[in-house]
Amino acid sequence: MNWTWFHKLGSPKWFYEISGRWLPWFGWSAALLLTVGVVWGLAFAPQDYQQGNSFRIIYIHVPAAFLAQSIYLMLAVAGAVGLIWKMKLADVALQQAAPIGAWMTFIALLTGAVWGKPTWGAWWVWDARLTSMLILLFLYFGIIALGNAISNRDSAAKACAVLALVGVVNIPIIKYSVEWWNTLHQPATFKVTEKPAMPMEMWLPLLVMVLGFYCFFTAVLLMRMRLEVLRREARSSWVKSEIKALVGGSR
């Protein structure tokens, strides 16, 4: 198997060049999918026979919850790559993805509370799913705080990577908490391996929103990583050439 692409990912210059080509595709895809998903889900999807229109919050809540967990898994993978192969770009990905993951977790918790009030009669209950998601938010905060508190870049990268790897044990707890414990939270809205329980008119716009959220995350992550790469490599010749080209093109 040819692993050249993997080793190229360790090159900030190569990443900056290739990410510049990917960024518009993910950005426009996110804009299109989110626009279609929001209009379809909020305006045209039928009401739920039990929850009425309040169920529509799933079009924000479910994608945010999916993405919050996926981003943390990505942090753990990036942490492992950074510790094993010493790729500095893995640390860049970890540090720049963590704030996005924290925001997605916060959005999932907030929309869950808005959904829970009419459904359960309370903004918050110490449900296993909710509690484990709150722990996920604290893990994100911990990684962000470690990255900012430790002045030595290499030490900060190692500490964040270790915390990401240790905290990944919380992801299966979030996923299976509804099955392991008697909780108020409903089971997964849909699964990849099973036929959706929802009607297609409700399920398809949700799928569009999930894809839109992932494209949005990728676009924002690439932008954040590109800026961080330029900051870290500011003294390198290729960055100076890039800046000169940008300045020359703006005249």
Side-chain angles (χ1 to χ4, degrees):
M1 184 181 291
N2 189 350
W3 289 92
T4 304
W5 64 270
F6 182 73
H7 294 288
K8 280 185 176 180
L9 284 176
S11 167
K13 182 177 183 293
W14 184 85
F15 167 80
Y16 189 85
E17 291 174 352
I18 196 69
S19 62
R21 301 173 198 167
W22 294 344
L23 188 53
W25 291 96
F26 283 108
W28 285 111
S29 297
L32 177 61
L33 290 168
L34 291 175
T35 301
V36 171
V38 166
V39 173
W40 191 356
L42 298 185
F44 295 102
Q47 292 186 25
D48 183 78
Y49 74 100
Q50 287 182 321
Q51 301 179 43
N53 283 319
S54 65
F55 97 98
R56 297 184 192 278
I57 198 130
I58 69 168
Y59 295 112
I60 303 297
H61 175 74
V62 172
F66 274 10
L67 194 52
Q69 297 171 68
S70 298
I71 293 173
Y72 199 90
L73 286 173
M74 194 209 86
L75 298 191
V77 172
V81 170
L83 290 173
I84 297 170
W85 287 284
K86 312 297 182 184
M87 284 190 180
K88 293 183 179 179
L89 205 59
D91 174 56
V92 173
L94 192 157
Q95 297 285 350
Q96 299 309 309
I100 309 173
W103 273 110
M104 289 298 158
T105 309
F106 175 77
I107 291 171
L109 288 169
L110 179 63
T111 52
V114 173
W115 192 5
K117 179 61 176 175
T119 305
W120 302 334
W123 294 102
W124 178 267
V125 292
W126 289 102
D127 177 270
R129 173 66 63 83
L130 274 65
T131 304
S132 53
M133 281 296 292
L134 182 61
I135 292 172
L136 181 65
L137 181 61
F138 291 152
L139 286 169
Y140 276 122
F141 286 162
I143 291 172
I144 295 169
L146 272 179
N148 292 328
I150 303 175
S151 57
N152 183 276
R153 187 180 293 169
D154 292 336
S155 298
K158 291 178 181 177
C160 292
V162 170
L163 180 55
L165 288 168
V166 171
V168 79
V169 70
N170 189 49
I171 299 301
I173 294 175
I174 295 173
K175 179 175 176 56
Y176 295 108
S177 58
V178 176
E179 300 173 14
W180 290 347
W181 295 286
N182 183 22
T183 69
L184 289 173
H185 198 286
Q186 70 182 55
T189 304
F190 64 86
K191 299 179 181 179
V192 177
T193 57
E194 298 179 10
K195 183 179 179 180
M198 303 169 63
M200 186 177 67
E201 295 83 0
M202 294 179 176
W203 180 76
L204 279 179
L206 180 58
L207 178 60
V208 171
M209 286 296 291
V210 170
L211 293 174
F213 265 67
Y214 276 90
C215 287
F216 172 78
F217 161 68
T218 304
V220 173
L221 177 62
L222 289 178
M223 286 191 290
R224 289 177 60 88
M225 288 183 66
R226 284 165 62 82
L227 289 173
E228 181 63 13
V229 164
L230 289 178
R231 188 183 71 82
R232 294 191 181 195
E233 302 289 320
R235 296 183 180 179
S236 62
S237 58
W238 73 267
V239 172
K240 293 178 182 178
S241 301
E242 192 74 30
I243 293 173
K244 287 181 180 178
L246 290 172
V247 173
S250 63
R251 290 178 181 176

